């Protein structure tokens, strides 16, 4: 929503100001200039990035435009699932608990949280370290070091789209100059025409410079910035799981262990300790959030 509102304000201000100065909006309609800039930017983007990153860039753009950052309900789901799993680990024998981690799709605990279950990376993260806890031979500091390494790897992969979009944004002004130079070359070949025709060709060439700068700073650059804001918030789930499981491994009760995880949630999305307790003990859910609010 914010992305659309901001884009409307930006485009409206630019076009409105230009029209108010007496400019003719139809002059800006230069499809071949935009074709040169957008087409060359797309080609460079494909050359510079592997297929997996290109696909992830599409997903990342959707997340950025629609602000797909985690909400308090999402964090509560993860905390509740962890609490239930840790209670199972504490109260039941290994043979009964292993099924939750070996086949989370069939686990009654994970089934209660379909949005969590849909996040394959996060579920795999939880299940991998749940198995290590069941085995019981790994030391806490070794598990913590392994978690840190994995989270760092996940962050590196999650930030690739942001770097890819920012590289395109940095190159677009130069591509706009390329389009403008080609337009000027075209205009130089028409010096024998009337001043009106020649002026139109030069104006069309300058639209290339405008388009490159506009696409860079008003479209692609903000998308990269929004991805930089959204994706780190998604990685908070992994830090939450890490701190909760480490606290549990160090002997904390499940209710105390999820409190370690709760503290890693950004303050604007962090549910209160009462909401978490109500959620994990009595299934308060959304009602608990409304009640706390």
């Amino acid at each position: 929503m914010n992305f659309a509102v901001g884009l409307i304000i930006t485009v409206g201000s630019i076009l409105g100001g230009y029209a108010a100065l007496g400019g003719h909006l139809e002059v800006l309609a230069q499809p071949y200039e935009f074709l040169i800039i957008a087409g060359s930017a797309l080609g460079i983007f494909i050359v510079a990035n592997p297929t997996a990153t290109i696909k992830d860039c599409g997903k990342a753009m959707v997340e950025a435009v629609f602000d797909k950052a985690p909400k308090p309900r999402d964090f509560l789901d993860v905390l509740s699932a962890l609490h239930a799993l840790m209670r199972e680990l504490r109260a039941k024998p290994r043979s009964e608990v292993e099924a939750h981690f070996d086949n989370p799709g069939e686990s009654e605990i994970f089934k209660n949280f379909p949005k969590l279950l849909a996040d394959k990376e996060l579920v795999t993260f939880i299940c991998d370290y749940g198995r290590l806890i069941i085995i019981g031979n790994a030391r806490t500091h070794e598990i913590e070091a392994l978690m840190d390494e994995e989270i760092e790897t996940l962050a590196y992969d999650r930030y690739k789209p942001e770097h890819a979009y920012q590289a395109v944004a940095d190159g677009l002004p130069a591509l706009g100059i390329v389009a403008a130079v080609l337009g000027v070359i075209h205009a130089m070949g028409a010096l024998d025409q009337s001043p009106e025709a020649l002026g139109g060709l030069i104006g069309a060439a300058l639209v290339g410079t405008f388009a490159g700068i506009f696409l860079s700073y008003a479209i692609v650059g903000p998308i990269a910035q929004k991805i930089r804001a959204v994706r780190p918030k998604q990685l908070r789930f992994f830090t939450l799981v890490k701190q909760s499981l480490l606290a549990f491994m160090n002997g904390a009760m499940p209710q105390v262990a999820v409190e370690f995880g709760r503290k890693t949630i950004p303050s604007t999305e962090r549910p209160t300790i009462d909401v978490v307790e109500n959620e994990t003990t009595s299934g308060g859910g959304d009602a608990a959030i409304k009640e706390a609010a």
Side-chain angles (χ1 to χ4, degrees):
M1 183 63 180
N2 287 350
F3 185 88
V5 171
L7 187 59
I8 290 171
I9 292 173
T10 301
V11 174
S13 298
I14 292 173
L15 297 183
Y18 174 72
L21 288 171
H24 299 285
L25 294 177
E26 64 272 12
V27 175
L28 299 178
Q30 302 295 335
Y32 295 115
E33 293 287 325
F34 283 94
L35 175 63
I36 292 171
I37 297 167
S40 57
L42 177 61
I44 292 169
F45 174 77
I46 293 173
V47 169
N49 296 285
T51 303
T53 300
I54 293 172
K55 291 180 179 179
D56 195 29
C57 282
K59 179 182 177 182
M61 183 173 68
V62 172
E63 293 173 353
V65 171
F66 293 99
D67 194 19
K68 295 292 185 179
K71 303 299 187 291
R73 176 72 257 166
D74 302 323
F75 287 111
L76 272 173
D77 283 351
V78 177
L79 289 170
S80 299
L82 289 174
H83 181 269
L85 289 169
M86 288 186 289
R87 288 187 63 183
E88 294 279 300
L89 286 166
R90 194 175 186 88
K92 295 184 178 179
R94 170 178 174 175
S95 58
E96 295 183 29
V97 180
E98 270 185 324
H100 294 299
F101 302 113
D102 290 338
N103 192 5
E106 299 299 323
S107 167
E108 292 302 321
I109 292 177
F110 283 107
K111 283 182 179 179
N112 288 330
F113 308 99
K115 196 169 183 180
L116 167 61
L117 191 57
D119 190 337
K120 301 302 182 185
E121 282 188 329
L122 183 57
V123 170
T124 300
F125 188 84
I126 294 172
C127 291
D128 285 350
Y129 292 102
R131 292 188 191 97
L132 289 177
I133 291 174
I134 290 174
I135 294 171
N137 293 329
R139 299 175 182 176
T140 305
H141 70 274
E142 294 173 340
I143 297 294
E144 182 176 9
L146 185 59
M147 286 179 167
D148 288 337
E149 287 291 335
E150 184 169 357
I151 291 173
E152 184 177 341
T153 301
L154 289 167
Y156 176 78
D157 290 335
R158 293 287 181 99
Y159 297 158
K160 284 180 180 178
E162 182 258 317
H163 297 310
Y165 279 114
Q166 190 58 56
V168 173
D170 292 341
L172 277 169
L175 293 176
I177 294 173
V178 170
V181 170
L182 291 175
V184 170
I185 293 172
H186 175 55
M188 291 299 100
L191 288 176
D192 58 336
Q193 297 186 22
S194 66
E196 290 80 6
L198 187 59
L201 292 173
I202 294 174
L206 293 177
V207 169
T209 303
F210 158 75
I213 295 173
F214 174 79
L215 290 173
S216 173
Y217 292 103
I219 304 293
V220 182
I223 288 175
Q225 179 64 35
K226 194 64 180 292
I227 293 171
R228 192 182 302 126
V230 170
R231 290 229 154 164
K233 291 182 179 180
Q234 295 174 348
L235 287 172
R236 282 291 177 182
F237 285 128
F238 297 89
T239 305
L240 182 158
V241 172
K242 167 193 163 184
Q243 294 299 339
S244 297
L245 292 182
L246 289 176
F248 179 73
M249 291 181 69
N250 283 323
M253 298 287 288
Q255 195 64 50
V256 177
V258 295
E259 176 63 14
F260 279 75
R262 186 185 73 88
K263 286 295 187 180
T264 67
I265 301 172
S267 59
T268 53
E269 288 86 27
R270 184 190 303 154
T272 67
I273 187 171
D274 292 331
V275 169
V276 174
E277 184 176 0
N278 187 42
E279 175 77 12
T280 54
T281 58
S282 61
D286 292 327
I289 298 178
K290 293 178 182 178
E291 184 178 323

